[in-house]
């Protein structure tokens, strides 16, 4: 391991990757510790912990959630994701700022989040994104999932999330015009084939983001790697990628996934 100064503080980053191949490098650690050692990123695609787990998840569900396997998986594999909202927003601002430092001018940042509820009132992710002052918001995309689980909340069951595309100012961003035909509502089923992770997003999601805003050989970054979906998508498209993941269990899932090779989705996209 080695130490490095970042914003006046000493941070510790892993000297050796948890996993590495010809395109992908995965670090086991906190993103706050690893990000100051990274530069030259062209695109960030991430979905952070939503601050919805911990004490907010019932031990046993009712109605549709009774005996639900998802609850059982979250109780075993979920993050300790239970911060007060002010602290959570401050953490997300800090990570967004560190991501900007790791990126070059004109880099793209895709931030997947969702509407959450506190005391029966909605907390919209756009309120987080507006605090990311080093980034210019380019577009809001709606991810329309195939179904939901909150059927007992006395409201229409939520089945959507948001993806915010932001750009680092001071240079033009890269754009592949064929991606315009993807529109701004992405109808994609949740990923269901990743054992050991309760809520990975579908591989098609980062594939679209990366294909739209990068060139082959560009560097993609994922600060909350989870099961490795963004890294696998970058690898399929012939992009280099760096991932950071706090959970060693998730690192192991991602490493096994990445070591299995990829299907050819067109590396020249």
């Amino acid at each position: 391991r080695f130490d490095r100064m970042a914003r006046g503080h000493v941070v510790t980053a892993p000297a050796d990757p948890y996993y590495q191949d010809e395109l992908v490098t995965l670090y086991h650690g906190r993103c706050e510790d690893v990000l100051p050692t990274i530069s030259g990123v062209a695109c960030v695609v991430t979905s952070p912990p939503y601050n919805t787990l911990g004490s907010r998840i019932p031990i046993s569900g009712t109605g549709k959630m009774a005996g639900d396997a998802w609850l059982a998986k979250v109780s075993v594999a979920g993050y300790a994701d239970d911060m007060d909202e002010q602290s959570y927003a401050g953490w997300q601002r800090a990570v967004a700022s560190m991501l900007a430092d790791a990126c070059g001018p004109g880099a793209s940042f895709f931030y997947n989040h969702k509407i959450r509820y506190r005391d029966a009132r909605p907390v919209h992710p756009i309120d987080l994104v507006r605090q990311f002052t080093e980034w210019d918001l380019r577009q809001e995309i709606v991810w329309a999932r195939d179904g939901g689980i909150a059927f007992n909340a006395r409201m229409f069951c939520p089945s959507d999330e948001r993806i915010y595309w932001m750009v680092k100012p001071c240079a033009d961003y890269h754009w592949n015009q064929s991606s315009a035909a993807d529109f701004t509502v992405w109808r994609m089923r949740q990923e269901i084939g990743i054992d050991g992770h309760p809520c990975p997003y579908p591989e098609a999601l980062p594939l679209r983001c990366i294909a739209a805003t990068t060139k082959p050989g560009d560097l993609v970054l994922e600060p909350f790697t989870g099961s490795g979906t963004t890294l696998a998508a970058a690898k399929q498209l012939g992009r280099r990628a760096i991932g950071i993941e706090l959970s060693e269990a998730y690192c192991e899932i991602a490493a096994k996934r990445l070591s299995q090779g990829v299907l050819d989705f067109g590396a020249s996209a």
Side-chain angles (χ1 to χ4, degrees), residues 95-106:
V95 171
S97 179
M98 298 178 84
L99 289 171
D101 289 343
C103 289

Side-chain angles (χ1 to χ4, degrees), residues 64-81:
K64 180 179 173 63
M65 296 177 71
D68 193 280
W70 184 83
L71 285 176
K73 185 180 287 189
V74 165
S75 67
V76 173
Y79 286 107
D81 186 20

Side-chain angles (χ1 to χ4, degrees), residues 21-25 41-45 201-222 225 228-243 257-258 261-269:
D21 60 34
E22 68 279 3
L23 289 174
V24 176
T25 300
V41 174
C43 180
V44 179
V45 185
Y201 54 37
E203 203 161 284
L205 191 155
L207 277 169
R208 284 190 181 182
C209 299
I210 296 166
T213 60
T214 66
K215 305 180 296 295
D218 276 351
L219 180 59
V220 175
L221 174 62
E222 166 59 288
T225 291
T229 303
T230 295
L231 304 185
K235 189 173 181 179
Q236 287 180 13
L237 292 171
R239 276 61 164 172
R240 296 175 297 130
I242 295 175
R257 182 179 186 181
L258 293 163
V262 299
L263 298 174
D264 183 7
F265 279 80
S268 61

Side-chain angles (χ1 to χ4, degrees), residues 64-65 68 145-152 156-160 190:
K64 180 179 173 63
M65 296 177 71
D68 193 280
R145 303 189 320 246
D146 183 21
I149 60 173
F151 279 89
N152 293 330
F156 300 106
C157 180
S159 61
D160 64 289
Q190 306 95 307

Side-chain angles (χ1 to χ4, degrees), residues 109-186:
F109 174 18
F110 292 90
Y111 183 76
N112 169 222
H113 216 298
K114 70 175 184 178
I115 298 171
R116 298 164 297 136
Y117 291 84
R118 298 290 181 268
D119 300 322
R121 295 182 179 273
V123 179
H124 203 288
I126 191 64
D127 295 327
L128 285 173
V129 169
R130 285 175 175 146
Q131 299 177 54
F132 299 168
T133 56
E134 283 116 326
W135 293 94
D136 291 342
L137 179 59
R138 177 63 180 153
Q139 201 164 32
E140 180 185 61
I141 298 161
V142 175
W143 168 24
R145 303 189 320 246
D146 183 21
I149 60 173
F151 279 89
N152 293 330
R154 301 188 68 198
M155 63 181 181
F156 300 106
C157 180
S159 61
D160 64 289
E161 298 191 16
R162 299 297 189 274
I163 305 159
Y164 292 98
W165 173 26
M166 292 163 274
V167 176
K168 184 174 176 179
C170 301
D172 195 15
Y173 58 88
H174 181 79
W175 175 247
N176 293 317
Q177 180 57 28
S178 60
S179 294
D182 289 332
F183 300 102
T184 56
V185 177
W186 294 359

